[in-house]
Amino acid sequence: MVCLRGFQRRTPLNPKDAEAEAAKASLAQALAELRAGHLVVIPTETVYGLAADAENSAAVNKIFALKGRPATRPLIVHVPSLDHLDRWVSQIPAYAYDLAQAFWPGPLSLVLRRSTRVPDAVTGGQDSVALRVPAHALTLDLLRAFNGGVAAPSANRYGRISPTKPAHVQAQFGKQTPYIVDGGPCRGGIESTIVSCLGTQPLILRPGMITAAQVAATTGLAVAEQHHATSQLRTAGQDITHYAPQTKTILFQRERNAPWPEMKDLQVGFLGFAPPPEKVHLALQLPSEPTLAAQRLYAALHKLDAAALDLIVLEAAPEGSQWDGIRDRLLRASGRGRP
Ligand code: TXA
Ligand code: MG
């Protein structure tokens, strides 16, 4: 038997110090991986990201390969602070600056005219780039130490449910999973609001927990919302099915008295804001407060998708702009996209 006693500390670290030491070691490893051109899974306040050095095209290409994502779908570059913005963009309209100041670090991505520093691999050849400062202490430490930008989509296979816990990433990528910086469960739960700042007024490309009303109040400008189906931009959610379970998934609108689907002999799962109108095999309920519902949404979808069901029924989100991001994800998860 190997005796480890000689290697043990005389005074064990208190839990706080032990946690700090583990975080330090994890960040050192993540930094080394990024510098070597490898992928790293990073925690953010929204969802976990699959990160690579944004200035290393070969590293960025590994993201597309692992996700199975078309190379034409541009990536968000994550930077440590607002001060880094002008390294990556060539023009910053005043209203974009106001948004960055108001919401960074936070769940907001800004699309701006790119600088020459940004490789085509990141933007899919477009002349714009999406940027954000994520609000997660570990990842901010990593970005500061890296002193650059990391391109990171959500750490899931293309079109599938985004991960809000390390275990979700592991379940999708298995042995191919890159090094994970474990930052615990994500507090935000759905992806950032994406705002295009290429025009004279802000344009919401993907709804999220920062609402159009907040963008309007911060900028003092009218805010447009993109109609995905007619968009020429290659952006979030042009694929009608996205953020989707592998199990067949349908949408249910309780308030419209939609008929409960015929599902005799099927193993059915339900996710909604009140109990399902009929008995199902597995029923999960989301809180009626939107920030809490967002926090739990993807974990609930992962759970339903892993439960070997025949059908998942998702209840449409309530009315109101606070629910825009969640409504969008529920529609897309059920293959309905936005109207
Ligand atoms: O919260 C988030 O935004 C997460 C975390 C990891 O930061 N990231 C994320 O990345 O959701 P991803 O790649 O799953 O979604 C980013 C979306 C894509 O649909 C992409 O098309 C759009 O942003 N996008 C990126 N760059 C763009 C650009 N230059 N113009 C328009 N859309 C862009
Ligand atoms: Mg994604």
Side-chain angles (χ1 to χ4, degrees):
M1 199 179 99
V2 182
C3 177
L4 293 171
R5 181 167 275 198
F7 296 101
Q8 281 175 355
R9 288 171 190 277
R10 269 168 202 273
T11 40
L13 281 177
N14 75 46
K16 261 226 156 103
D17 290 346
E19 208 177 283
E21 203 155 286
K24 215 166 129 191
S26 171
L27 290 183
Q29 165 120 28
L31 190 58
E33 301 280 341
L34 285 176
R35 289 196 173 136
H38 300 156
L39 302 184
V40 178
V41 177
I42 55 167
T44 83
E45 81 282 33
T46 59
V47 301
Y48 272 79
L50 189 59
D53 177 354
E55 287 178 86
N56 178 341
S57 297
V60 169
N61 286 333
K62 291 180 188 170
I63 296 177
F64 292 98
L66 184 59
K67 272 187 73 104
R69 166 159 159 155
T72 49
R73 291 263 171 237
L75 303 173
I76 297 171
V77 177
H78 298 66
V79 293
S81 72
L82 179 53
D83 304 336
H84 281 243
L85 196 56
D86 50 14
R87 297 194 199 178
W88 299 91
V89 304
S90 56
Q91 277 168 28
I92 311 173
Y95 75 82
Y97 196 79
D98 292 343
L99 287 171
Q101 263 201 323
F103 296 110
W104 283 356
L108 178 73
S109 297
L110 300 177
V111 174
L112 292 154
R113 207 58 71 195
R114 73 163 166 172
S115 74
T116 49
R117 186 187 193 116
V118 188
D120 280 344
V122 169
T123 68
Q126 299 192 89
D127 64 355
S128 60
V129 62
L131 286 148
R132 94 176 183 98
V133 178
H136 193 291
L138 281 180
T139 290
L140 283 175
D141 282 348
L142 176 63
L143 291 170
R144 278 191 284 263
F146 188 58
N147 194 26
V150 305
S154 49
N156 52 278
R157 293 204 190 271
Y158 184 58
R160 301 265 293 277
I161 308 165
S162 299
T164 53
K165 295 177 184 178
H168 297 154
V169 183
Q170 197 83 46
Q172 290 203 25
F173 294 116
K175 286 205 176 102
Q176 290 181 296
T177 310
Y179 182 71
I180 299 180
V181 178
D182 187 343
C186 300
R187 283 176 291 113
I190 64 168
E191 302 82 353
S192 59
T193 304
I194 304 179
V195 179
S196 168
C197 303
L198 300 177
T200 52
Q201 65 191 73
L203 170 68
I204 308 256
L205 299 178
R206 177 175 69 186
M209 296 312 283
I210 292 175
T211 64
Q214 285 175 287
V215 173
T218 304
T219 60
L221 296 169
V223 177
E225 279 190 65
Q226 172 165 294
H227 194 301
H228 290 291
T230 55
S231 161
Q232 294 304 306
L233 270 175
R234 287 193 300 272
T235 185
Q238 277 181 322
D239 312 290
I240 291 206
T241 307
H242 214 116
Y243 318 106
Q246 289 188 295
T247 314
K248 180 177 160 54
T249 301
I250 61 170
L251 194 75
F252 168 67
Q253 290 182 309
R254 192 189 300 265
E255 75 284 6
R256 294 194 193 164
N257 286 327
W260 185 247
E262 178 62 48
M263 43 183 82
K264 211 166 146 258
D265 301 331
L266 294 184
Q267 293 277 70
V268 177
F270 176 82
L271 177 64
F273 299 89
E278 293 192 22
K279 199 167 166 343
V280 295
H281 184 70
L282 174 60
L284 302 177
Q285 194 166 324
L286 288 172
S288 55
E289 197 284 312
T291 57
L292 291 177
Q295 210 173 67
R296 299 196 198 154
L297 174 66
Y298 287 145
L301 289 179
H302 280 287
K303 188 168 177 184
L304 288 168
D305 207 19
L309 299 163
D310 300 310
L311 181 70
I312 297 173
V313 181
L314 300 178
E315 179 169 4
E319 297 290 312
S321 64
Q322 277 296 99
W323 291 95
D324 284 355
I326 297 167
R327 187 176 314 107
D328 173 78
R329 303 311 186 275
L330 286 167
L331 285 171
R332 277 179 208 293
S334 58
R336 297 280 285 262
R338 287 213 291 182

